[in-house]
Amino acid sequence: MAKFINIEVAYRLTNERYASLGVDVDHALKMLAQIPISLHCWQGDDVGGFENFGGTLGGGLAVTGNHPGKARTPDELRADLEKTYSLIPGKHRLNLHAFYGEFGGKKVDRDEIEPKHFANWISWAKKNGLGLDFNPTCFSHPKAADGFTLSNADKEVRKFWIEHCTRSREIGAAMGKALGKTCVTNVWIPDGMKDTPADRVAPRVRLAESLDAIFKKPISPKLNLDAVEPKLFGIGSESYVTGSHEFYLGYAVSRKKLLTLDAGHYHPTEGIADKISSVLQFMPEILLHVSRGVRWDSDHVVILNDDLLAIAREIVANGYEKRVHIGLDYFDASINRVAAWTIGTRNMIRALLIALLEPPAIKAAEAAGDFTTRLALQEEAKTLPFGAVWDYYCEQQGVPVGDYWLAEVKSYEKTVLSKRQ
Ligand code: RNT
Ligand code: ZN
């Protein structure tokens, strides 16, 4: 990669500018390098997974687009991920779904999965210095076809999904143990109703019971942390979702679990940034699914918009770096999938950097009751030269500066992705 002499010059000047505002840029970069982002494996194959059931995407999840080159095998997905990680500054994590296990061509049903089915992922993660996170897959399966899993009225169906989720957190613990890095296992289920329910209670009673059964066995929080993910609505569950925000908020607080805040799971104009400091008053840690809904929970690639900046700022300004696990959750098949990962992750990191560079005078003005100064400085901060710091960080971390990563993706598309039919 070309070394840009002017990057260092720009950085030196920028550093002085920030120093005059009381911002220690080198310290900010040290902090930034310690915040891992969990990349969602499912961007690489349109939430397909590697089972041999011939199933199609269910649970109200929808991936649109048909850009060529999606990963068809675990090896292809890992190769695409390696390419992606090489374009992103810092050391990060991978978030796996249960149906990405490697089953050797066998029909291993969801209630039969074991850590051994993830052995290749674990050794690959170890080799690449990555942490792993995990998710039971409670969709794209015949036993989820009626739209209900853990809150299903049929006891046998519930039992099946309870077993799947129970095994999933054991797999999470095995990952945590093998890698020496705590795994966060997140439970999301699609359960809900298209039209107005006559009984909103019974499915919620069943869901609470199922979750209690799943979490019955204590697992060391050093190995695995359990998270639960609420949602307002989904495709096919427009009128009612069993695991609503209030349901899981209550559940997480009372059972000491992590709450997962997905940016696409609320009303269209309702951001998750303000929720972070609220829920962290009552629980030690949370998980984020940073996503971008466009009119609905459409899971667009994360861009550097106000929502993202606000999320990053809430984490950094409050010192929540260790209490907020940052995961991404989007899937776009209309563009190059390696680019989709790279764009979203670089934006997440860039937003954290901007937050780390916030001039302390903004908070000080508020503490002094000077809201005029607060607003003035907030607006001035928007055009501070953080771009020069970002370029320097990329160079320091040995990844492409500016849009140079794109040329690498284009060449990967030409030599690797376009050969996949
Ligand atoms: C669905 C949830 C969930 C999924 C992934 C694939 O609305 O956001 O997190 O996107 O588990
Ligand atoms: Zn999510």
Side-chain angles (χ1 to χ4, degrees), residues 42 61 97 188 229 231 262 265 289 297 329 331:
W42 50 92
L61 303 174
H97 242 283
W188 174 76
E229 182 180 8
K231 188 167 181 171
D262 183 310
H265 284 195
H289 272 188
D297 178 35
D329 183 11
F331 20 94

Side-chain angles (χ1 to χ4, degrees), residues 40 42-43 47 57-61 95-97 99-100 135-139 186-190 229-231 233-234 260 262-265 287 289 291 297 299 328-331:
H40 51 312
W42 50 92
Q43 165 60 58
V47 207
L57 187 58
L61 303 174
N95 194 5
L96 273 176
H97 242 283
F99 70 166
Y100 288 85
N135 307 258
T137 310
C138 301
F139 52 84
N186 174 54
V187 175
W188 174 76
I189 57 165
E229 182 180 8
K231 188 167 181 171
F233 75 96
T260 301
D262 183 310
H265 284 195
L287 170 66
H289 272 188
S291 188
D297 178 35
D299 292 288
L328 304 176
D329 183 11
Y330 55 79
F331 20 94

